[in-house]
Amino acid sequence: MMQKSDNLIRKAVTYDARGLAEIEKRCFSVPWSEASLYETVSEKTSSFFVADDNGELAGYIGAYFVLDEGYITNIAVLPEYRRRGIAEKLIRSLIAEAEAREASFLTLEVRAGNAPAIKLYEKLGFGRVGVRRGFYTEPCEDAQLMTLFLRKDRIE
Ligand code: COA
């Protein structure tokens, strides 16, 4: 079982789609399908990282980039792997990737009541920049918009 110091974060490949779908099913009420994950991982604009525990996927983060803008679509860690710093490592890997791509910011939506995720993003420097009313279904909930600005020449 993965320990706090283990470093098994790697880029996802299409072969990971089944494991990603399994994480989705166990972590979200409206999960992405294996087919759409397969397609998304293979897109050039996408950037996915997984936490790989000897062949079992413990968690993942997915994002896509448009010009100098980075959008995080999902992050999830299986319940039995939580509170060991895996999500933090996944986000740090994505931030390094965003910097390599010279992105100006990384942004995301999170359920307004998802305190663990909001705490996680705040710990890594994301700020609350807005709210989208009734954005989520099952159950209906507002989205909190959060952004991490990366470049010094950003618009303040
Ligand atoms: N309560 C409060 N803060 C929490 C928390 C919790 N249950 N889980 C994580 N955090 C915050 C803390 O600030 C923590 O830092 P600390 O350990 O120094 O206190 C920081 O996040 C890093 O935690 P980490 O161990 O890396 O997180 P994790 O690997 O357990 O994964 C989630 C966190 C949110 C990805 C995980 O709970 C999850 O998969 N949830 C379900 C899916 C989800 O909601 N994804 C977000 C969609 S936008």
Side-chain angles (χ1 to χ4, degrees), residues 22-131:
E22 195 52 42
I23 296 172
E24 281 280 314
K25 261 190 248 159
R26 292 188 54 203
C27 296
F28 295 109
S29 60
V30 190
W32 278 17
S33 70
E34 183 179 335
S36 64
L37 284 158
Y38 184 97
E39 209 171 291
T40 309
V41 168
S42 54
E43 278 166 14
K44 261 214 176 84
T45 51
S46 287
S47 181
F48 278 63
F49 289 90
V50 294
D52 184 335
D53 183 17
N54 292 310
E56 188 192 1
L57 297 192
Y60 89 94
I61 189 165
Y64 66 93
F65 291 88
V66 179
L67 301 173
D68 65 339
E69 304 172 2
Y71 294 87
I72 297 178
T73 48
N74 252 352
I75 179 166
V77 173
L78 289 177
E80 61 270 31
Y81 285 96
R82 287 182 192 163
R83 298 314 309 255
R84 295 176 202 196
I86 293 176
E88 192 171 328
K89 280 190 190 170
L90 287 165
I91 297 183
R92 289 191 191 285
S93 299
L94 188 70
I95 292 172
E97 165 89 11
E99 284 172 341
R101 288 180 184 242
E102 300 189 337
S104 300
F105 63 81
L106 275 172
T107 193
L108 57 89
E109 293 116 12
V110 54
R111 284 184 181 270
N114 191 345
I118 291 174
K119 277 228 161 89
L120 167 72
Y121 299 132
E122 283 178 336
K123 183 176 181 189
L124 295 187
F126 287 75
R128 298 175 190 230
V129 296
V131 172

Side-chain angles (χ1 to χ4, degrees), residues 7 36 151:
N7 188 6
S36 64
R151 287 192 0 207

Side-chain angles (χ1 to χ4, degrees), residues 125-142:
F126 287 75
R128 298 175 190 230
V129 296
V131 172
R132 256 185 214 135
R133 301 270 168 229
F135 180 76
Y136 290 104
T137 57
E138 297 180 44
C140 178
E141 194 173 350
D142 293 346

